[in-house]
Amino acid sequence: MSVLNHSPKIITKNLVFAIDGAVSRCWSGSGSVKDLVAGAEGNPIGPTLVNRMGGCFDFDGTDDRIDFGNLAAANFGTESFSAEVVVEPDNIAGWDMIMGKGASGSTGWSLTIDSSSQYSIDIDAPTNEHRGNSNSAATIGQIAHICGVWRRNASDTKVFMYINGEQKVASTLSGETATVTNSAQNLTFGTYNAGTSWDLNGRIHLARLYNAELTAKEIKSNFETTKARFGL
């Protein structure tokens, strides 16, 4: 499975989407960005491919983004799911979108750098929003392995965030955020929704989506497998 070219021991169970700037089959720097799991194609609007840590997607903080449209693989209904990303900020303006599908006032979910320059996890419903702040500052020029988990069990609905394999957020959902279903927004990287705001200035090295809750052990395993590549 070529998604494993640069991470031979990552968790592949329930993996439904992956991009990696170090895998040429994903992106050569021109044309579509291709999901390494099912072959979905994303539209790169502005980002460049730079040869850093094997290759990564570079965003200019103005209007760059990768847009996968309303991707079915990123619609999880009311089921649990997880999102993993390796990010490297060049500048932090407050409210920088790393990856997400909606959120910020519209139904959906996201991983962001918030107005306090800290990594955060978010889920939004029509009538309420839930954000978990990691109390961990995003640092310019410092690579971070981020994993967000949205647990959607009827009796236990929570969000979790892990940074470099360590849990930083465990927060209980309430109201509609506990039961909200699919977002009609696009899956985007480097900006909110269709490039309207929250533009990331920095690099995304890789990203993955799982249609299940990754356990703390699995997240730690993915981090341990990944960290040597990025000097973490």
Side-chain angles (χ1 to χ4, degrees):
M1 192 175 186
S2 57
V3 67
L4 306 183
N5 283 359
H6 290 264
S7 298
K9 297 179 182 178
I10 66 163
I11 303 300
T12 57
K13 183 180 179 181
N14 299 310
L15 180 67
V16 294
F17 175 92
I19 57 173
D20 190 327
V23 179
S24 60
R25 188 173 70 86
C26 179
W27 198 38
S28 64
S30 62
S32 299
V33 176
K34 294 187 178 179
D35 161 36
L36 294 166
V37 177
E41 296 189 357
N43 184 18
I45 303 169
T48 57
L49 182 67
V50 298
N51 186 19
R52 176 165 170 72
M53 306 293 182
C56 57
F57 310 96
D58 189 81
F59 301 83
D60 68 2
T62 302
D63 55 5
D64 289 358
R65 60 195 183 274
I66 303 173
D67 190 332
F68 276 86
N70 187 5
L71 186 68
N75 285 329
F76 303 103
T78 57
E79 301 300 315
S80 300
F81 64 98
S82 306
E84 180 182 6
V85 65
V86 175
V87 63
E88 181 182 9
D90 266 345
N91 187 48
I92 299 170
W95 292 123
D96 299 312
M97 176 70 83
I98 302 169
M99 64 182 293
K101 196 172 188 295
S104 181
S106 65
T107 298
W109 58 267
S110 65
L111 297 175
T112 65
I113 300 171
D114 69 15
S115 59
S116 300
S117 300
Q118 298 178 350
Y119 291 114
S120 67
I121 181 172
D122 187 77
I123 186 167
D124 277 28
T127 61
N128 69 319
E129 174 184 17
H130 186 96
R131 179 174 299 111
N133 185 297
S134 68
N135 292 315
S136 297
T139 302
I140 292 172
Q142 184 171 309
I143 295 174
H145 176 274
I146 310 294
C147 188
V149 177
W150 290 259
R151 178 186 291 170
R152 312 294 303 286
N153 298 341
S155 60
D156 186 19
T157 55
K158 292 181 179 178
V159 293
F160 301 89
M161 175 176 270
Y162 294 76
I163 300 177
N164 294 339
E166 300 297 325
Q167 184 180 295
K168 300 295 183 179
V169 174
S171 184
T172 301
L173 299 176
S174 61
E176 278 194 310
T177 58
T179 58
V180 65
T181 185
N182 295 331
S183 169
Q185 305 294 336
N186 292 356
L187 173 66
T188 56
F189 297 84
T191 192
Y192 168 64
N193 195 14
T196 55
S197 58
W198 298 17
D199 297 295
L200 176 69
N201 188 335
R203 288 166 288 281
I204 292 175
H205 292 263
L206 60 82
R208 305 180 186 116
L209 291 175
Y210 294 83
N211 64 359
E213 175 185 348
L214 288 179
T215 66
K217 182 178 179 179
E218 288 172 327
I219 293 165
K220 187 71 169 180
S221 176
N222 273 4
F223 169 68
E224 291 294 332
T225 299
T226 303
K227 69 178 185 180
R229 172 178 163 188
F230 301 108
L232 296 173

